[in-house]
Amino acid sequence: MQDQAPVEDLARRAAAGDSGALDRLLAEIRPEVVRRCARFLPCREDAEEAAQDVLLQVARHLSAFEGRSRFGTWLYTVVANCCRQKYRELKRRAAEQPAAIEPALAVDPRTTSVIAGSRVDLLEALDRLEREHPHLVAPLVYRDICQLDYAEAAERAGIPLGTLKSRLHEARKQVRPWLAAP
């Protein structure tokens, strides 16, 4: 998504019901969606599955995009939510079928690469934050993971800017020790 103007235009036209624009939009954003998903999920296949979920959500719910913020902002929120959902699904599946994996093949992704490990730890921290302090998740995801500016993050979260900053500070304080733990 090098040049944002054509993507923003395609998104507006697709949201208005132009199916040709939707097809072009999905083709245009796919590489960026896969790249963004890979920032969350350490395994390429998992990231690609999550990307397919994102593209499906975009196709199904683009009419909900009102154009008040940039399409990219809306898209990265969908990416973050789909990746977190995919992680929960994979974690649940692994817990339900532990005998299906041979012990020699069961590899903890946290030990396979520093980059992969940090992403898994972050997803686990987000899961824990959601269980313990659900109101802190959106500010952290929008600002620190989706890298939205403060005003956009506050708008996406539906809270005043000051509240976003306060919740973001608290979320970081909660998550920091979980990420530092061995």
Side-chain angles (χ1 to χ4, degrees):
M1 292 186 350
Q2 303 295 332
D3 185 4
Q4 295 294 324
V7 171
E8 296 293 326
D9 180 57
L10 282 172
R12 279 190 294 280
R13 290 183 12 229
D18 181 339
S19 61
L22 177 60
D23 291 342
R24 288 190 302 279
L25 176 68
L26 294 175
E28 178 73 24
I29 66 173
R30 187 182 188 292
E32 178 70 10
V33 167
V34 171
R35 189 178 71 73
R36 290 277 176 168
C37 289
R39 291 177 71 189
F40 281 90
L41 299 163
C43 177
R44 178 79 179 168
E45 292 82 7
D46 296 340
E48 288 176 357
E49 275 188 47
Q52 288 302 314
D53 293 345
V54 170
L55 295 174
L56 183 61
Q57 290 299 317
V58 169
R60 284 185 176 163
H61 302 289
L62 188 58
S63 61
F65 172 61
E66 299 171 349
R68 290 183 305 182
S69 63
R70 289 185 11 242
F71 171 73
T73 302
W74 182 85
L75 176 64
Y76 297 143
T77 301
V78 175
V79 167
N81 291 336
C82 284
C83 287
R84 291 176 56 228
Q85 184 59 39
K86 177 58 66 183
Y87 174 72
R88 285 187 206 107
E89 175 188 319
L90 293 168
K91 191 173 173 181
R92 188 173 40 251
R93 200 180 318 155
E96 290 170 356
Q97 302 173 348
I101 301 173
E102 295 179 32
L105 298 176
V107 177
D108 184 349
R110 287 169 286 200
T111 63
T112 60
S113 103
V114 174
I115 295 170
S118 65
R119 287 182 287 191
V120 170
D121 288 351
L122 177 60
L123 290 166
E124 288 177 356
L126 286 172
D127 257 7
R128 183 172 175 184
L129 187 65
E130 189 161 34
R131 284 191 308 273
E132 296 179 13
H133 307 283
H135 64 288
L136 301 179
V137 174
L140 187 68
V141 168
Y142 294 148
R143 178 69 185 123
D144 289 355
I145 297 173
C146 295
Q147 299 175 338
L148 302 181
D149 65 38
Y150 285 101
E152 283 182 305
E155 183 180 330
R156 278 309 283 163
I159 56 178
L161 183 59
T163 303
L164 175 102
K165 288 180 178 181
S166 172
R167 288 182 183 177
L168 181 59
H169 173 75
E170 184 61 26
R172 289 171 176 164
K173 189 169 88 176
Q174 292 292 323
V175 168
R176 192 173 294 120
W178 302 336
L179 295 175

